[in-house]
Amino acid sequence: MTIEWKDSYKIGNAEIDKQHEYLFELTNEMIAVDSMTSLRPLIMLLFKHTREHFELEEALMRKHNMPDVEVHVEGHNKLLNRLSLLSMDVGKGHMNKRAIAELMSDWALNHVTKDDAKIAEYLLASPGE
């Protein structure tokens, strides 16, 4: 199982688009490993970069006074909480790559393509901001 990055996922902000693409790559790299030794640092890196990405995305949304920012933030927090629990499981020696892959696939195929697409639509409709 892998998640494929598509240019249609871009929201029009170069830094966020680059981060999205990197998170896809990192998820795929993590899915491909077959040892706990390799998985531990990757899940930590995935969590760190996901958190940083969400912070940037939320700042962009607030800067442009997007409606429903808090709903979007709530979605981020739910994903981070789930990813944190999975990271703790990995730290305890449980190699549940399937759950991590499913979580990140859900993020990629639902959050990025639907919720983040709203950011792109809003930014396109708000010229001069």
Side-chain angles (χ1 to χ4, degrees):
M1 170 186 214
T2 59
I3 57 172
E4 180 185 350
W5 171 257
K6 297 178 183 177
D7 284 341
S8 63
Y9 298 162
K10 291 182 178 181
I11 70 159
N13 177 286
E15 190 169 1
I16 287 178
D17 291 335
K18 182 178 172 185
Q19 287 180 350
H20 277 160
E21 191 168 358
Y22 178 67
L23 289 170
F24 274 63
E25 291 171 12
L26 194 54
T27 298
N28 287 328
E29 186 177 339
M30 188 192 56
I31 291 168
V33 301
D34 58 3
S35 75
M36 189 61 73
T37 305
S38 300
L39 183 61
R40 278 189 180 117
L42 286 173
I43 188 98
M44 290 171 38
L45 194 58
L46 180 65
F47 182 84
K48 174 185 180 279
H49 283 285
T50 300
R51 188 185 68 235
E52 290 171 355
H53 166 69
F54 287 168
E55 289 170 0
L56 178 67
E57 200 172 87
E58 292 163 13
L60 175 71
M61 293 173 71
R62 287 187 173 103
K63 176 183 174 187
H64 291 279
N65 298 311
M66 280 191 62
D68 300 323
V69 171
E70 295 312 315
V71 173
H72 199 102
V73 170
E74 185 178 319
H76 286 172
N77 290 338
K78 284 180 183 178
L79 187 137
L80 282 174
N81 287 337
R82 290 173 58 201
L83 189 56
S84 177
L85 292 172
L86 291 169
S87 297
M88 286 189 278
D89 282 348
V90 169
K92 294 174 186 173
H94 305 287
M95 191 166 169
N96 195 349
K97 289 191 325 178
R98 182 184 185 113
I100 297 165
E102 288 174 0
L103 173 64
M104 295 309 291
S105 292
D106 180 60
W107 165 77
L109 301 175
N110 290 304
H111 184 82
V112 172
T113 62
K114 295 175 185 159
D115 298 334
D116 288 353
K118 292 177 186 174
I119 299 171
E121 291 169 14
Y122 185 83
L123 293 176
L124 282 172
S126 303
E129 291 201 30

